[in-house]
Structure formats: structure tokens, C-alpha cells
Amino acid sequence: MPDIRHEDRVAQASQSPAAVTRLAASWRRSMVKHGLDPGSPPQLRRLTASELAAHTARLDEFLAIARPQLDQLFQLVCATGCNVLLTDAEGIVLEHRVNESDAPVFRDWGLWQGTDWSEQAEGTNGIGTCLAEGRQVTIHRDEHFYARNTGLSCMDAPIWGPDGGLLGALDVSSARADHTERWNALIAAQVAQSARQIEAAFFRASFPGARIIAAQTGGNDDALLLVAVDRDDLAIGANRAARRAYGLEKEGKIRPRPASDLFGREDELTGFEKAERAAMIRALARAEGNVSAAARALGVGRATLYRRMQRLGIDEKPGRLSHG
């Protein structure tokens, strides 16, 4: 009995409105919502130079911060024949990194700057499905919607902005047949880590002059919670993980509120308070106990620092701290 064709398998799995797997749900979305045919893919959508420039200009500051991380990620995966892509939230590739020897292959695939890899354009694929579902995905070979893309393995992670909205996707793609799912899992872990580093760097740059308090959730996703606190001890910004953890506005600017109200007062310090306490102790140590110098290093007034020291249980011990 002949093997079932890829496009037929996709169509059959997409028939039920109650698709039971995320992959089947994405295939169905590609067929029903976007009206795509797995056996008849359209031409790749490539933006003109002016269209690409418009997409890039909207994210100039973000791209400037992301580029060093793209370079670093590429150095880790380039020897394996992979390329690195960064897209905007619409799935348009804004940056790519590829070895010169591999460039013709990836250009032919369309894994190139200025190409549209949204799910609406290409059906189920690493970039498009990552953006459509707002989660880390790996689409390995015949998990792609179009038969023409089944030679690819794509590992993707979403990148969330300081306002809690989706900025884009970070992608590592491979066209090598010897890349196994186990190998892809190793690359996917690195992609997720690089995406979090880009998010954190852009968050910090978005709140100049503010103290950035960070904590790990300790959960399965090990998300990094970031909160920006101004000189008046008001929380003025929070990344997506912190917004979810503290029930803040899902997207957009957050309403400024006292940091102590946000973090709460429990018998034991929260993760944020532990991070803040450690930062104060380090500043005091570097200043050799000079409170005024430590306050200047932290960007706060001496009275504010004393108030925080008291709140976080940092005792003023004679002979150890000086007023400066």
C-alpha cells in the first residue's frame, strides 16, 4: 500500500473542528482560517526594499540591542549548517545570519531578510506558528503545513516587549536531513535562552534611570520577572512574566504603584526583595560602608536608601557603615 502523501495527511488531520493536538490545530487553522492548500503553495511573499525598510524602521532601537545576541547565537550554531533569523510580530524576517557557503540553500528556501513567514502566508511553520500561538515551538520537517517546507527543521521562541506585547520571533532553521529531533531540542533550548536575553536587554534599555529588579519564577518555564522602579519607589514598568505573576495590566503602560504594594509584605522576603537586598549589600560593600556613596551608586537619595535598608532588614552596624 503506497505511503500517504504529505498534503493528504495534513488535510485529513485538519478535518475535525476538535483537533486534539496543537499541530493538528495549526494545520486546521492554516486551511480553514487562512484558506491555504497544503498541496498548492503560493509563491513566497518577498517584501520590496521600501516595504522592508518601513518594517525595520519601526523597530530600530530593538534591533540595535538584539544584533549582538543574534551574532552570539549564530556563532553557536553556524558550524551545524543552521541559520539565524529575527522577525517582527507580523512574521517578516528583519535580520538573518548565515554562513556564506550555506547562503544559496537558505535563499532558495526563502529563509532570508524581507520574506514573510507568517502562518497566514506559509501555514504551519516555526516562525508563523510561534507568533500565532505566542509560545516556543519546534516544527520538524513533515510537521510543516506545505509539502515544499518538509525539508526544514525550525526552532523558534517569541520575544515579548517591555509593554507586554509580542515583538517578534527568534528562529534557528536547518535544512540538513541528519538533524534529529533530539539535536533540535538542544538548539531550541539555546534559542529560548537567547530570546530571554534579548527581552531583558531591551527592557532595561527602555527604562533609563530606573532600578531594574529581577527574580526567577522557579517554575517549569523558569521565567525572568523584571520590574522597573523609579526614584520615588514606584513600579513604572514590568515585563510580561512579571505582569502575569503580579496581575498587572496585560499590555501597554502599567499604572505606577508603590513597589512595596506590588511585592507585598510577607514574613519572608519575595524574590524581588531578595534581589534588591543583595544589590544594596553589594553597593554598600563596594562603598566600604559609606552610605552616601552607596546611595549615589544606586541612584537614590541617602534617606531613601536608609528607608529601604530598614524595610529589607539591613542593619546599620557601628564601625561598618558610615554616613559620608
Side-chain angles (χ1 to χ4, degrees):
M1 184 175 180
D3 292 336
I4 187 171
R5 296 188 309 162
H6 174 75
E7 47 266 47
D8 293 333
R9 183 168 68 92
V10 171
Q12 289 176 14
S14 305
Q15 293 302 312
S16 172
V20 295
T21 67
R22 282 178 162 175
L23 179 62
S26 176
W27 283 350
R28 178 174 174 79
R29 194 163 57 237
S30 301
M31 289 189 67
V32 177
K33 181 179 180 180
H34 302 310
L36 304 179
D37 180 350
S40 302
Q43 290 292 319
L44 281 165
R45 177 176 173 247
R46 303 177 191 269
L47 273 62
T48 65
S50 60
E51 289 173 333
L52 177 59
H55 278 260
T56 301
R58 290 195 288 266
L59 294 174
D60 270 348
E61 294 181 13
F62 167 70
L63 292 174
I65 289 171
R67 284 178 185 122
Q69 286 295 334
L70 297 182
D71 295 338
Q72 184 176 338
L73 177 59
F74 179 63
Q75 290 302 314
L76 292 174
V77 302
C78 63
T80 66
C82 294
N83 75 340
V84 173
L85 305 174
L86 180 67
T87 80
D88 63 11
E90 297 177 42
I92 305 301
V93 179
L94 302 182
E95 295 270 339
H96 71 262
R97 303 288 187 275
V98 62
N99 277 328
E100 186 176 348
S101 59
D102 297 320
V105 172
F106 287 112
R107 187 184 292 111
D108 288 345
W109 280 108
L111 292 165
W112 207 258
Q113 190 177 39
T115 306
D116 182 355
W117 277 91
S118 64
E119 202 175 66
Q120 182 177 358
E122 286 296 310
T124 305
N125 72 88
I127 291 169
T129 303
C130 169
L131 293 171
E133 299 184 358
R135 66 179 181 91
Q136 184 179 358
V137 301
T138 295
I139 303 298
H140 181 58
R141 299 180 71 79
D142 64 1
E143 293 176 338
H144 284 82
F145 180 77
Y146 282 135
R148 74 173 179 201
N149 292 332
T150 56
L152 297 172
S153 291
C154 304
M155 290 65 71
D156 287 78
I159 298 177
W160 301 94
D163 63 352
L166 190 59
L167 274 177
L170 181 62
D171 170 272
V172 169
S173 291
S174 168
R176 288 178 51 166
D178 60 347
H179 271 197
T180 64
E181 292 185 64
R182 187 173 182 179
W183 179 253
N184 290 342
L186 296 175
I187 296 177
Q190 187 59 56
V191 171
Q193 180 179 340
S194 296
R196 287 196 295 267
Q197 290 171 339
I198 292 172
E199 284 180 9
F202 189 48
F203 183 88
R204 294 175 188 277
S206 299
F207 295 96
R211 291 180 298 116
I212 305 299
I213 302 176
Q216 297 289 147
T217 61
N220 291 334
D221 58 356
D222 199 28
L224 181 65
L225 279 64
L226 297 172
V227 173
V229 179
D230 69 8
R231 291 173 179 267
D232 297 318
D233 268 347
L234 294 178
I236 57 173
N239 71 348
R240 182 171 181 266
R243 289 166 185 255
R244 296 175 66 180
Y246 285 90
L248 304 177
E249 294 86 346
K250 185 177 180 180
E251 291 188 19
K253 292 183 178 180
I254 69 168
R255 175 180 57 81
R257 64 255 289 166
S260 57
D261 290 355
L262 179 62
F263 304 147
R265 291 301 305 137
E266 304 291 341
D267 291 337
E268 293 185 4
L269 296 180
T270 66
F272 281 111
E273 290 170 326
K274 289 177 182 177
E276 185 179 14
R277 189 176 192 276
M280 289 183 189
I281 291 174
R282 286 195 298 269
L284 288 164
R286 292 188 183 111
E288 297 181 351
N290 187 306
V291 178
S292 295
R296 285 194 296 272
L298 292 169
V300 300
R302 191 174 70 177
T304 299
L305 181 56
Y306 272 123
R307 189 166 61 250
R308 290 177 185 159
M309 288 168 56
Q310 183 178 17
R311 176 167 58 85
L312 296 173
I314 303 175
D315 295 328
E316 181 182 353
K317 297 180 179 178
R320 184 178 178 186
L321 301 181
S322 63
H323 303 286

